[in-house]
Amino acid sequence: MVQVCLNGRRTPEDGTAVPMSPEDMARSAADAVAAGATEIHVHPKSPCGHDSLSPRVLAPTLRALRARVQVPIGVTTGAWAEPDPARRLDRVRSWTLLPDFASVDWHEPGAEDLARLLLERGVAVEAGIRSGTGAAARFVASPLAPRVLRVLAEVTDPDPATARNSARSLLTELGDRHGRPVLLHGEEGGAWPLVRLAGRLRLATRIGLEDTLYLPDGERAASNAELVAHALRTRP
């Protein structure tokens, strides 16, 4: 499985290839799915380009995407979009249109309460376990761990020379993960080494303009679809 991460915390300053509006996200998603992506991860954006958990931002994004693609769609719930844990819960309670799944960063305050609420609302949870945060130990001990859709093993080491070792350390910390599937990915310089490692380990992975703006040869990527196509050719 190759998930495409359409935009992440990127801004318009990162280039016109990064989709910001619901319509641009939908076009980018459709092209990425045509290139072979099997899931979508997206950060809904306010009109000024900031990540938002507001239902007024989420709903139009989901409607636009679902009009163009038939694959599962997941969204961020990152604290940068709403730093206050209580307000983040209120935002999720107010969602009028629900994504298929949502990523919950397990190192953030209130992560378990947020995951519990999402599960109660029928939204699958992708447990984001970021390297270097202690999130792996908290996740393994969590009573919610057996209920998540998958573990999103997020390696923040951007050095292509060391990202693979960082990934193996994180996977060791996670152990058997209560039997949950793993999606392994890196970012920036570590993105492509971990796409290849995930393939060798037979793990799901993701690629997109959230994780890297560049192709394996260092050329600037023209689109999410181009990154997906390269990822599928790169995986062993």
Side-chain angles (χ1 to χ4, degrees), residues 21-35:
S21 70
E23 294 75 19
D24 286 344
M25 292 178 207
R27 279 192 292 271
S28 185
D31 291 343
V33 169

Side-chain angles (χ1 to χ4, degrees), residues 180-233:
R180 305 319 299 146
V182 172
L183 187 159
L184 175 66
H185 80 93
E187 58 185 43
E188 307 304 348
W192 289 109
L194 293 198
V195 166
R196 291 188 284 271
L197 178 62
R200 286 196 293 274
L201 297 178
R202 297 187 177 277
L203 298 176
T205 193
R206 78 176 203 187
I207 196 69
L209 293 167
E210 172 173 355
D211 291 339
T212 180
L213 298 172
Y214 297 94
L215 300 173
D217 62 4
E219 290 291 319
R220 185 94 175 193
S223 66
N224 280 300
E226 188 175 27
L227 289 169
V228 169
H230 275 271
L232 290 169
R233 289 197 294 269

